[in-house]
């Protein structure tokens, strides 16, 4: 219907034939031309048309009587300036601007109908989030989002790095708050938190990795929140393979509030609890808490030390402190190369003790427990202790990592380009 109306608007109808009773407009015949033919005429006026013609006799040309119509042939007609210009091929073309407007209207209407389609899957095995936008599921208590593993998110063994997985956890946590309508102008802060200059900081993180996804895989991340004591919040995650449903990674964390101006921890105000309380789930942690104490390393107990680690501008988040994912990369800076080559990280426990700013310089310390780091090729699981500290000795993060042997033994040959024959 829209197309029909639009077509009639920019394709003009052919001109109607003149009515039989209509009169010509302002057409003049030259009297001199008629006089030259020996015609004695008088003025005749009819509907704006003036003709000088002889009403008494027909003109005679070369002695032959002819009619008035024959005598008028070849007479030049004068057109009045008010008459429309003659129709040509150019001015009979349609108005292309109207055509373009009509086409645009049709496409906009089609796009609107397309966006109003229901994208919910018809079968449970179809991806719930085909565009990776995320959605609330299970009565709004769980946020779910899909992530494809891209080429720049994998390491030398063609699997996603631990930093990639941690970034997925952080992204879903923020999108969870946003989807619930609780995102203020801070980094995951609610509107009531923003009024009181409060931000979230993580104090403890546990991660168990059963299998790392590879390039091209699509993972599904679920996250939810629970209360932790009087002033804390616990957030859990599950990462699954979208195709098989296999659980790849489990993670659990504890968060508290800090005043972003004084940089001191704060109690949870009742107004903030009223905002986030309805989204709490009463459920045990997805990972059993590792109650073992994390030891403090020093220059005597650490076997590997990496110094001179400095934050870059891009390492800071919107709260002007180093993102917690960056600490993981710094911790692994001091891990022995032999472990990184022969083993993969299977579990990690981190305790965040102090924030780090842009002007800080850090040191990374690592100690290998129960094994010789130089002879790990045929060994089993390996455990390491870690410490990230400032140059003045102040602790930033304590950590423990566990490593298992890699399944692929020939990872050094992956990606090598064979030499061409001369």
């Amino acid at each position: 219907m829209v197309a029909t109306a639009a077509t009639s608007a920019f394709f003009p109808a052919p001109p109607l034939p003149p009515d039989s009773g209509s009169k010509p407009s302002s057409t003049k015949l030259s009297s001199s031309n008629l006089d030259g033919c020996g015609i004695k005429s008088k003025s005749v006026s009819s509907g704006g048309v003036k003709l000088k013609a002889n009403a008494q006799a027909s003109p005679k040309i070369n002695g032959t009587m002819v009619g008035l119509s024959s005598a008028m042939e070849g007479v030049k007609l004068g057109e009045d300036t008010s008459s429309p210009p003659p129709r040509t091929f150019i001015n009979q073309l349609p108005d292309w601007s109207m055509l373009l407007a009509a086409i645009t209207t049709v496409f906009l209407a089609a796009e609107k109908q397309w966006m109003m389609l229901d994208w919910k899957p018809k079968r449970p095995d179809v991806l719930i989030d085909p565009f990776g936008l995320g959605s609330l599921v299970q009565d709004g208590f769980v946020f779910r989002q899909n992530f494809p593993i891209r080429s720049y998110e994998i390491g030398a063994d063609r699997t996603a790095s631990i930093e990639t997985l941690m970034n997925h956890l952080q992204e879903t946590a923020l999108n969870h708050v946003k989807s619930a309508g609780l995102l203020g102008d801070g980094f995951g802060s609610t509107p009531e938190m923003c009024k009181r200059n409060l931000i979230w900081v993580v104090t403890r993180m546990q991660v168990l990795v059963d299998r790392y996804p590879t390039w091209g895989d699509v993972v599904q991340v679920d996250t939810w929140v629970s209360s932790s004591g009087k002033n804390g919040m616990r957030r859990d995650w599950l990462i699954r393979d979208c195709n098989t449903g296999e659980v790849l990674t489990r993670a659990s964390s504890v968060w508290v509030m800090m005043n972003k101006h004084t940089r001191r921890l704060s109690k949870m105000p009742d107004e903030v609890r009223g905002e986030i309380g309805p989204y709490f789930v009463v459920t045990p942690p997805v990972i059993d808490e590792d109650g073992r104490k994390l030891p403090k390393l020093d220059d005597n107990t650490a076997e590997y030390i990496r110094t001179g680690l400095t934050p870059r501008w891009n390492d800071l988040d919107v709260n002007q402190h180093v993102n917690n994912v960056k600490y993981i990369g710094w911790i692994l800076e001091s891990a022995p190369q032999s472990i990184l080559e022969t083993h993969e990280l299977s579990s990690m426990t981190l305790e965040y003790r102090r924030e780090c700013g842009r002007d800080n310089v850090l040191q990374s310390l690592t100690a290998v427990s129960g094994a010789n780091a130089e002879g790990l090729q045929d060994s089993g699981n390996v455990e390491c202790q870690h410490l990230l500290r400032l140059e003045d000795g102040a602790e930033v993060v304590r950590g423990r990592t566990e490593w298992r042997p890699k399944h692929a033994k020939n990872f050094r040959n992956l990606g090598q380009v064979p030499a061409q024959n001369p």
Side-chain angles (χ1 to χ4, degrees):
M1 185 174 181
V2 175
T4 304
T7 303
S8 62
F10 51 75
F11 283 105
L16 296 175
D19 189 10
S20 58
S22 63
K23 300 178 182 179
S25 59
S26 302
T27 303
K28 295 183 180 180
L29 295 178
S30 174
S31 59
S32 60
N33 292 338
L34 297 179
D35 292 341
C37 295
I39 301 175
K40 296 180 180 180
S41 60
K42 67 178 180 179
S43 177
V44 179
S45 177
S46 174
V49 179
K50 296 182 179 180
L51 299 176
K52 288 185 178 181
N54 190 349
Q56 301 294 330
S58 299
K60 181 184 292 186
I61 301 177
N62 293 331
T64 303
M65 301 294 295
V66 295
L68 180 59
S69 59
S70 299
M72 294 177 60
E73 292 179 4
V75 177
K76 185 177 181 181
L77 300 178
E79 294 182 0
D80 189 60
T81 56
S82 62
S83 60
R87 298 188 64 82
T88 63
F89 173 76
I90 298 300
N91 59 23
Q92 289 184 18
L93 292 176
D95 190 342
W96 296 110
S97 62
M98 297 180 63
L99 173 62
L100 180 60
I103 294 176
T104 303
T105 302
V106 172
F107 272 95
L108 289 177
E111 182 183 12
K112 182 177 180 180
Q113 293 296 327
W114 181 263
M115 295 301 294
M116 292 174 63
L117 292 176
D118 185 8
W119 289 103
K120 294 181 180 179
K122 305 304 179 184
R123 305 197 320 261
D125 57 336
V126 180
L127 294 182
I128 294 179
D129 183 20
F131 300 109
L133 302 178
S135 60
L136 292 171
V137 297
Q138 298 187 15
D139 298 329
F141 289 101
V142 177
F143 181 79
R144 176 171 296 169
Q145 187 169 358
N146 297 335
F147 295 93
I149 304 301
R150 299 176 173 86
S151 60
Y152 53 83
E153 296 175 326
I154 62 176
D157 52 0
R158 297 188 179 183
T159 59
S161 64
I162 185 63
E163 290 92 341
T164 295
L165 300 181
M166 297 297 292
N167 281 325
H168 291 169
L169 303 185
Q170 181 173 272
E171 180 71 8
T172 52
L174 292 175
N175 289 338
H176 184 193
V177 179
K178 181 178 180 180
S179 298
L182 298 177
L183 186 63
D185 60 356
F187 202 51
S189 299
T190 66
E192 290 295 335
M193 291 175 62
C194 294
K195 293 179 182 178
R196 294 162 176 79
N197 298 317
L198 298 176
I199 58 176
W200 288 111
V201 291
V202 59
T203 60
R204 186 176 179 87
M205 174 77 72
Q206 283 186 261
V207 181
L208 292 179
V209 182
D210 296 327
R211 181 174 68 84
Y212 286 89
T214 60
W215 176 31
D217 289 346
V218 179
V219 296
Q220 183 184 85
V221 184
D222 289 359
T223 183
W224 59 94
V225 292
S226 306
S227 62
S228 177
K230 295 181 179 180
N231 297 301
M233 178 184 70
R234 190 185 80 241
R235 179 174 287 277
D236 293 336
W237 293 271
L238 274 180
I239 300 181
R240 296 185 178 92
D241 188 302
C242 275
N243 294 326
T244 64
E246 174 192 2
V247 176
L248 305 179
T249 303
R250 292 168 289 164
S252 183
S253 61
V254 177
W255 300 73
V256 295
M257 293 184 182
M258 183 179 72
N259 188 293
K260 66 180 181 180
H261 294 318
T262 63
R263 317 309 286 187
R264 293 183 178 180
L265 298 182
S266 172
K267 294 182 178 180
M268 183 182 297
D270 293 337
E271 293 80 1
V272 176
R273 191 182 303 275
E275 284 181 323
I276 64 178
Y279 297 93
F280 282 172
V281 179
V282 181
T283 180
V286 71
I287 301 177
D288 293 334
E289 184 177 357
D290 188 351
R292 293 178 296 171
K293 184 178 180 180
L294 296 176
K296 179 181 179 180
L297 297 181
D298 53 31
D299 294 338
N300 297 324
T301 57
E303 302 173 75
Y304 304 89
I305 300 177
R306 176 70 183 273
T307 61
L309 300 175
T310 56
R312 300 171 301 174
W313 174 256
N314 291 334
D315 294 334
L316 304 180
D317 58 27
V318 297
N319 292 323
Q320 297 299 311
H321 64 200
V322 174
N323 190 287
N324 65 84
V325 178
K326 299 297 180 181
Y327 295 139
I328 300 174
W330 286 336
I331 287 175
L332 299 182
E333 283 289 331
S334 60
Q337 188 71 22
S338 57
I339 293 181
L340 299 178
E341 290 180 351
T342 60
H343 289 64
E344 64 180 9
L345 183 65
S346 59
S347 68
M348 176 175 59
T349 301
L350 302 177
E351 287 183 359
Y352 296 86
R353 296 177 171 249
R354 182 188 299 268
E355 65 175 337
C356 177
R358 183 180 60 179
D359 300 327
N360 295 131
V361 180
L362 298 96
Q363 298 176 346
S364 177
L365 292 76
T366 297
V368 181
S369 302
N372 183 5
E374 301 301 330
L376 295 174
Q377 185 67 32
D378 299 323
S379 64
N381 293 351
V382 178
E383 182 179 287
C384 296
Q385 308 295 333
H386 304 275
L387 175 66
L388 193 65
R389 69 185 183 186
L390 301 179
E391 284 188 324
D392 59 4
E395 294 183 271
V396 178
V397 178
R398 287 188 187 184
R400 178 189 298 113
T401 58
E402 294 183 3
W403 304 75
R404 58 172 173 255
K406 290 183 178 179
H407 300 291
K409 301 297 183 181
N410 59 342
F411 67 93
R412 294 185 182 88
N413 297 326
L414 296 177
Q416 292 184 355
V417 179
Q420 296 182 357
N421 294 328

